[in-house]
Amino acid sequence: QPPPSDLQQSRSPMVVTPSAGDTQTSLTVSNIFTAGVFGLQLTLTDSDGGVTTVSTSVQVEYCGDSPPDSDGDGTPDCYDLCYNDPNKLAPGVCGCGVVEDVVDSDGDGVVNCLDECPTV
């Protein structure tokens, strides 16, 4: 059985202190060896001592130690919605294996990649 993740091990608050002027701070949790939904509670304290608490959940997926990458784009198939298209990770408007051409050349309301007659 794999070791517990940092999320499972942590029972005490993790404190992240942003630099002065920062409006965004990231927190990285590593060693996730199991898929699941993890609860997350953020307590934000402003410089005046005001406190805001936000609770949410995070869905974690785990692909295994050596997941396949069929299209060689660097994203494992389990996270890649277009696992046979090295140029896309998600189908977008036009679908996997099709260049994302969302221009409507003939003005008929159908984008070129879905239009059987894009110039008429």
Side-chain angles (χ1 to χ4, degrees):
Q1 180 174 354
S5 71
D6 290 349
L7 281 176
Q8 293 167 326
Q9 290 175 348
S10 177
R11 298 290 179 237
S12 60
M14 290 185 259
V15 177
V16 177
T17 305
S19 300
D22 282 354
T23 57
Q24 183 174 327
T25 300
S26 60
L27 173 67
T28 301
V29 179
S30 56
N31 301 322
I32 303 292
F33 290 101
T34 57
V37 177
F38 294 87
L40 181 64
Q41 182 174 350
L42 301 173
T43 302
L44 309 168
T45 306
D46 65 25
S47 59
D48 295 326
V51 176
T52 302
T53 300
V54 178
S55 295
T56 188
S57 60
V58 178
Q59 174 72 41
V60 175
E61 296 180 22
Y62 178 64
C63 290
D65 292 331
S66 298
D69 178 13
S70 299
D71 58 12
D73 64 359
T75 300
D77 292 349
C78 59
Y79 298 127
D80 192 340
L81 298 177
C82 291
Y83 54 86
N84 286 320
D85 182 347
N87 298 311
K88 287 186 173 182
L89 298 178
V93 173
C94 301
C96 299
V98 179
V99 174
E100 204 63 18
D101 180 9
V102 294
V103 174
D104 178 14
S105 297
D106 59 7
D108 65 355
V110 180
V111 295
N112 290 352
C113 65
L114 301 177
D115 196 338
E116 291 182 20
C117 299
T119 59
V120 181

